[in-house]
Amino acid sequence: MRKEFNVAVAGATGAVGNQMVACLEERNFPVKNLRLLATARSAGRKMRFRGEEIVVEELTELSFKGVDIGIFSAGAATSQKFAPVAAQNGCVVVDNSSAWRMDVDVPLVVPEVNPHAIAGYTNKGIIANPNCSTIQLVVALAPIHKKVGIKRIVISTYQAVSGTGKKAIDELYYQTRAILNFLEPEKKVYPHRIAFNCLPHIDVFLENGYTKEEMKLVYETRKILEDDSIGITATAVRVPVFFSHSESVNIETHQPISPAEVRSMLTTAPGVKVVDDCQQNLYPMAIDAAGKDDTLVGRIRADESIANGINMWVVADNIRKGAASNAVQIAEILARDYLSK
Ligand code: NAP
Ligand code: 3JN
């Protein structure tokens, strides 16, 4: 019989947490008992799981007693504080924040790319889930890196507001509605209006002139692909889209590879769906990726300005594959291959 686990979702009432609960149900994760954790503000609220109502509890140091797997999505400060507490209680944490991603003792995992790294969970009892923009990038690039080696990556992202959480989803909705009604839109979440606008600003600015989101792409990609020699530069842009991040990706490879070879290789790559038929106006779009777990790749073409260059357009649902489903996939491998013995 399949072993069942006591699971806790920290940040269950958030944009990502909600989807984590949905993914656990959809993927038929072997849950014995589910605890839903959030702030005191949400305690007492009810959420549905497998047709039953579960009461949300306040996250405290006592929340993890008897819990086998904790899936965290309540922000980096909460993870920094509570993931070690959970681990001390024997609960393995799959953490969706940036708190532990670059810790050398914490594996940073995308199941299609480096599932073997999960074994490192024994170091600290924590496994990190990468940033959403990194996840879809490495799902698309890992097969190419394996075959011909990637020397350099230039990425420009077009990121949906849901990446900022439930308040930002409301902000885009209310600003759009206000503008279409000739009213002054209110700004609460972003420093500028997001409706009918693009902001080249995600997360905080750093001393090197990049944003933290841009540098997450650089460091996390190298860690997951296990190659610090790859040159990576990024521009991260917030766009007025509710769900799914899109990325313009330019790569330079060590050995030559044609667009047809890339297309063929990605057709069989796990987690990838090639959508690439310009004659039929078929290419990846945010509205098609939303609600799904595949990473859509298209507009695959040669970069004619260099010898071994390829351009592509990569799109995935940032809340699903970019956060919730990637975390649940990690938990599945952990449960099946490491905690069932
Ligand atoms: P959100 O919609 O604002 O939800 C935040 C969730 O965290 C809510 O459930 C909130 O509870 C809970 N929370 C906040 N502070 C807490 C605390 N001190 N103790 C317990 N619970 C707390 O945000 P989101 O979009 O779901 O994102 C949540 C986090 O996930 C982000 O901060 C980030 O670290 C991570 N994230 C990662 C990615 C990725 O790229 N992989 C993408 C998006 C988000 P209440 O409802 O009670 O306030
Ligand atoms: O903005 C996006 O599209 C992705 C946002 C991710 C995010 C938002 C707030 C805090 C993160 C993250 O996962 O890197 C964090 C964080 O944990 O630092």
Side-chain angles (χ1 to χ4, degrees):
M1 225 182 64
R2 202 162 66 132
K3 188 171 170 187
E4 293 191 321
F5 299 88
N6 293 328
V7 177
V9 175
T13 51
V16 174
N18 249 291
Q19 276 302 311
M20 285 173 162
V21 175
C23 282
L24 287 168
E25 178 164 340
E26 277 169 36
R27 299 177 70 98
N28 195 21
F29 191 90
V31 175
K32 192 193 296 172
N33 179 60
L34 182 64
R35 294 189 92 159
L36 301 179
L37 309 169
T39 67
R41 290 186 298 276
S42 301
R45 234 187 89 179
K46 288 176 185 147
M47 289 175 64
R48 290 194 84 77
F49 178 68
R50 292 182 186 160
E52 283 178 26
E53 287 193 324
I54 299 183
V55 179
V56 176
E57 301 169 60
E58 182 184 359
L59 169 61
T60 72
E61 305 216 337
L62 303 176
S63 300
F64 302 98
K65 283 210 180 338
V67 176
D68 304 303
I69 299 172
I71 310 182
F72 278 49
S73 196
T78 306
S79 296
Q80 197 76 47
K81 180 172 173 195
F82 288 100
V85 175
Q88 274 154 24
N89 281 276
C91 166
V92 183
V93 173
V94 180
D95 181 38
N96 188 41
S97 82
S98 61
W100 302 95
R101 287 178 193 150
M102 295 315 298
D103 186 317
V104 289
D105 291 324
V106 173
L108 182 63
V109 177
V110 176
E112 291 84 350
V113 180
N114 63 339
H116 55 271
I118 292 175
Y121 84 90
T122 49
N123 295 335
K124 283 199 167 153
I126 303 171
I127 303 166
N129 196 64
N131 180 268
C132 40
S133 301
T134 309
I135 294 175
Q136 65 186 73
L137 180 74
V138 298
V139 166
L141 293 188
I144 305 171
H145 187 53
K146 203 168 165 196
K147 182 100 193 268
V148 288
I150 293 175
K151 190 170 165 190
R152 180 164 184 257
I153 310 172
V154 183
I155 317 136
S156 298
T157 71
Y158 303 66
Q159 299 185 213
V161 294
S162 51
T164 318
K166 55 193 176 187
K167 289 200 185 92
I169 297 173
D170 289 346
E171 178 126 320
L172 176 58
Y173 172 80
Y174 286 114
Q175 286 187 354
T176 306
R177 201 172 72 166
I179 291 164
L180 292 177
N181 284 285
F182 306 101
L183 298 168
E184 190 57 37
E186 253 192 283
K187 284 192 310 259
K188 289 187 191 155
V189 176
Y190 300 116
H192 303 282
R193 197 180 93 193
I194 184 61
F196 306 100
N197 201 9
C198 297
L199 310 178
H201 175 184
I202 300 186
D203 209 331
V204 295
F205 281 100
L206 303 172
E207 274 188 5
N208 64 358
Y210 286 80
T211 62
K212 205 168 165 192
E213 183 81 355
E214 290 161 350
M215 296 315 293
K216 284 173 188 173
L217 267 159
V218 174
Y219 300 130
E220 294 178 19
T221 300
R222 289 186 183 138
K223 180 168 175 176
I224 299 161
L225 294 180
E226 297 169 357
D227 188 345
D228 284 340
S229 75
I230 307 174
I232 306 176
T233 188
T235 303
V237 181
R238 185 75 65 199
V239 297
V241 164
F242 284 105
F243 296 101
S244 301
H245 290 356
S246 304
E247 297 179 341
S248 162
V249 180
N250 172 266
I251 56 168
E252 183 181 357
T253 57
H254 286 287
Q255 274 109 52
I257 186 163
S258 70
E261 285 172 294
V262 170
R263 215 170 280 123
S264 150
M265 190 190 299
L266 292 183
T267 300
T268 54
V272 175
K273 186 170 175 214
V274 174
V275 184
D276 198 15
D277 186 349
C278 302
Q279 298 312 314
Q280 301 297 324
N281 295 336
L282 285 177
Y283 31 74
M285 295 191 294
I287 54 172
D288 292 332
K292 312 221 173 70
D293 291 330
D294 281 332
T295 294
L296 311 183
V297 184
R299 298 296 320 281
I300 301 167
R301 62 210 191 275
D303 171 356
E304 296 178 340
S305 72
I306 49 167
N308 296 334
I310 293 282
N311 280 311
M312 59 178 84
W313 181 249
V314 179
V315 182
D317 186 324
N318 54 303
I319 299 295
R320 298 275 312 191
K321 183 57 188 168
S325 48
N326 197 72
V328 172
Q329 275 177 279
I330 294 171
E332 279 170 358
I333 300 172
L334 176 76
R336 186 192 66 213
D337 296 350
Y338 298 92
L339 304 184
S340 289
K341 300 196 167 127

